[in-house]
Amino acid sequence: MNSNPISSFEDLMKIEYSNISGVVIIKDESLIYEKYFDGYTKDDVLHIASVTKSIISVLIGIAIDKGYIKNVEQKVLEFFPDYTVKRGEKTIQNITIKNLMTMTAPYKYKSEPYTKIYTSDDWMKATLDLLGGKGDIGEFKYSTVGTHILSGVLVSATGQSVIDFATESLFKPLKIKAPKNVIIQNKEEYLAFLKDKYVTGWIVDPKGINTAGWGLTLTARDMAKIGQLYLSDGVWNGNQILSSKWIKDSTKEKTRWGELSYGYLWWIVDDCYAALGDGGNVIFINPKKEMVVTIASRFMPRAKDRIELIRKHIMPLFE
């Protein structure tokens, strides 16, 4: 290994975290480290997988700030007046936005039926049909397909598409280049979006509703901006983009999954919090050290733990 600490760190990433495409670190509001690997540059977007969920949390917060949504205790079905509840279904009627955001809503499946949802012509109805059942409200059940309902809530509440609302309320103020809608029509296109080296856009369902649980592409710098927005209590260039109250609420423990804590679509890691996506995509925020670490990664099954990388190698090197 190289005797230079930074070079040694970069060697480690190339060897043990070979699917990392970019790392951006901000401390005290200044960019202190930025490095790209495997031919990627600062302008290349990647599929950020479940980090998308945390972006949806930002958008729900903005929608509440603007008065489009009253609060997280609103019942989900209030936003889908045309949806017909099956006879005898009671649980679904009591599920709130908060339940969806804290992964405490029950579903009628043991493993997530991705193919069933993504081959249907109405993803929202197919997902609502899976909501409820005999499970208990309040028990942690991580769901990617279920999160899609939150996109439907945003569309119903704001009267805009998710991408338009996100562009106007978040991307434009932060100078993030708004992605274009992308339609996937079969399993091959779905797998290509996950695995191809270069993908762009934000997946939409056949009704034009953007995915909430996955499917968004951003650069490592874009993710760092989201992290810095949270670290700065929702203020960007002197403008309050998101209320500090929402940031505090969404990054406090609301539920637990084993030893892990969860807020409103954010993972709580000791005195820090993070947006985590498959393959090792991360927005990691350390409020005490006023530090944001973002890692963009290509898809890889069972990718090595990024929190360990941040705790063991990045924090000691850059704090």
Side-chain angles (χ1 to χ4, degrees), residues 126-271:
T127 308
L128 286 166
D129 286 347
L130 290 168
L131 191 60
K134 294 176 182 176
D136 293 327
I137 295 174
E139 286 184 10
F140 190 93
K141 185 170 185 176
Y142 189 85
S143 177
T144 290
V145 295
T147 319
H148 191 59
I149 295 167
L150 290 169
S151 282
V153 168
L154 281 169
V155 170
S156 174
T158 66
Q160 292 179 277
S161 68
V162 175
I163 207 164
D164 285 349
F165 182 67
T167 300
E168 176 190 296
S169 306
L170 182 65
F171 296 153
K172 236 184 198 167
L174 268 57
K175 291 190 164 54
I176 292 173
K177 187 178 177 184
K180 291 182 178 172
N181 286 334
V182 176
I183 297 167
I184 53 167
Q185 295 176 316
N186 50 52
K187 192 174 182 181
E188 288 69 34
E189 288 181 6
Y190 167 70
L191 292 173
F193 192 84
L194 294 185
K195 295 179 180 180
D196 283 2
K197 184 170 181 180
Y198 295 106
V199 290
T200 60
W202 195 345
I203 299 287
V204 288
D205 71 11
K207 304 287 185 185
I209 299 173
N210 297 92
T211 47
W214 64 289
L216 173 62
T217 62
L218 293 175
T219 68
R221 276 192 176 189
D222 294 338
M223 288 197 284
K225 287 178 178 180
I226 303 292
Q228 186 58 50
L229 178 70
Y230 266 57
L231 199 53
S232 303
D233 292 327
V235 176
W236 191 267
N237 284 344
N239 298 313
Q240 194 80 44
I241 308 298
L242 179 65
S243 67
S244 60
K245 181 184 182 301
W246 178 258
I247 292 170
K248 285 189 185 79
D249 285 351
S250 58
T251 57
K252 270 186 190 157
E253 182 183 316
K254 298 291 187 294
T255 185
R256 289 186 75 82
W257 184 36
E259 294 179 3
L260 299 170
S261 301
Y262 204 66
Y264 292 156
L265 304 177
W266 286 88
W267 294 96
I268 319 302
V269 189
D270 300 325
D271 56 349

Side-chain angles (χ1 to χ4, degrees), residues 102-111 139-143:
T102 56
M103 301 292 177
T104 56
Y107 296 91
K108 303 167 195 163
Y109 62 75
K110 284 185 179 176
S111 59
E139 286 184 10
F140 190 93
K141 185 170 185 176
Y142 189 85
S143 177

Side-chain angles (χ1 to χ4, degrees), residues 287-305:
K288 281 187 181 173
K289 296 189 186 300
E290 293 196 27
M291 200 167 181
V292 176
V293 178
T294 59
I295 302 174
S297 306
R298 286 180 291 105
F299 175 78
M300 175 191 276
R302 297 173 296 282
K304 202 168 175 186
D305 184 5

